[in-house]
Amino acid sequence: MKKIIFICMIALSLFACKSADPNALSTKLDKSSQVAIKGNWILTSVSFPGSEYIKVTSFDIADSKCFVGSNWKFISNNNKGSVSLNAADCTGYESAIVWSINKQGLFVLKVLDEGLKSKKVKTGYLLTVANQTENSFQLIDQITVGGQAKSVTYQFQRN
């Protein structure tokens, strides 16, 4: 059975989606990058060209603006964690996650519905890890909207 990972974003009335074949991904983990991300983080900004015109639904959960100020916990020894959204004017949200960083520099993320184990979740998200320091890092998603490539950058700061 071939698994496909889908990443979708909504832009006005245009749909932009990409898929990746996880069989083509490196399964070797970048342990040093993972250990560096271990801990509690706050997502401080989400930026992308055209943000005043394009609505982005991040991780099929909520509008990207609702992720600003969200709390993320990354546990590196078992690749588990959590995400919690608490922005004003947004619906609160909390979920367990499973994550890893592979040798290709890709951040692999699965958001787990309550009661589901990660092996039962067939979809996830691939983002590029960038500008990683002791106290900050970025996750960058490359999408196509209206035939144009766009980067969505999620900026994290250590909490």
Side-chain angles (χ1 to χ4, degrees):
M1 173 184 253
K2 190 173 185 179
K3 294 181 188 174
I4 303 230
I5 297 174
F6 292 100
I7 302 169
C8 296
M9 304 186 91
I10 301 172
L12 297 175
S13 62
L14 301 173
F15 290 92
C17 297
K18 68 179 181 179
S19 63
D21 181 355
N23 296 324
L25 298 174
S26 172
T27 57
K28 295 185 181 194
L29 300 180
D30 184 344
K31 297 280 188 184
S32 62
S33 291
Q34 288 188 174
V35 169
I37 288 179
K38 174 184 173 182
N40 297 312
W41 297 81
I42 295 176
L43 197 156
T44 58
S45 68
V46 180
S47 59
F48 49 94
S51 61
E52 61 276 8
Y53 306 107
I54 300 171
K55 178 180 174 164
V56 174
T57 299
S58 296
F59 311 112
D60 292 322
I61 296 171
D63 186 292
S64 61
K65 293 177 179 98
C66 294
F67 278 82
V68 176
S70 62
N71 295 297
W72 294 69
K73 182 176 184 174
F74 300 107
I75 303 168
S76 62
N77 66 338
N78 66 4
N79 297 98
K80 293 184 179 180
S82 62
V83 58
S84 176
L85 278 62
N86 51 13
D89 299 326
C90 295
T91 302
Y93 177 84
E94 190 167 333
S95 182
I97 61 172
V98 175
W99 66 281
S100 63
I101 301 172
N102 71 13
K103 291 286 188 180
Q104 296 166 311
L106 292 176
F107 187 93
V108 181
L109 173 68
K110 284 186 178 183
V111 179
L112 306 179
D113 291 329
E114 191 171 334
L116 279 183
K117 295 190 182 253
S118 109
K119 65 182 177 182
K120 297 284 186 183
V121 177
K122 302 294 182 198
T123 59
Y125 306 91
L126 299 175
L127 301 105
T128 302
V129 179
N131 302 315
Q132 187 176 10
T133 70
E134 184 178 329
N135 292 308
S136 67
F137 71 96
Q138 297 173 327
L139 294 179
I140 301 172
D141 191 11
Q142 298 294 326
I143 64 165
T144 302
V145 178
Q148 296 182 355
K150 304 278 183 192
S151 293
V152 179
T153 303
Y154 299 91
Q155 179 69 49
F156 289 83
Q157 289 292 130
R158 189 173 294 280
N159 188 5

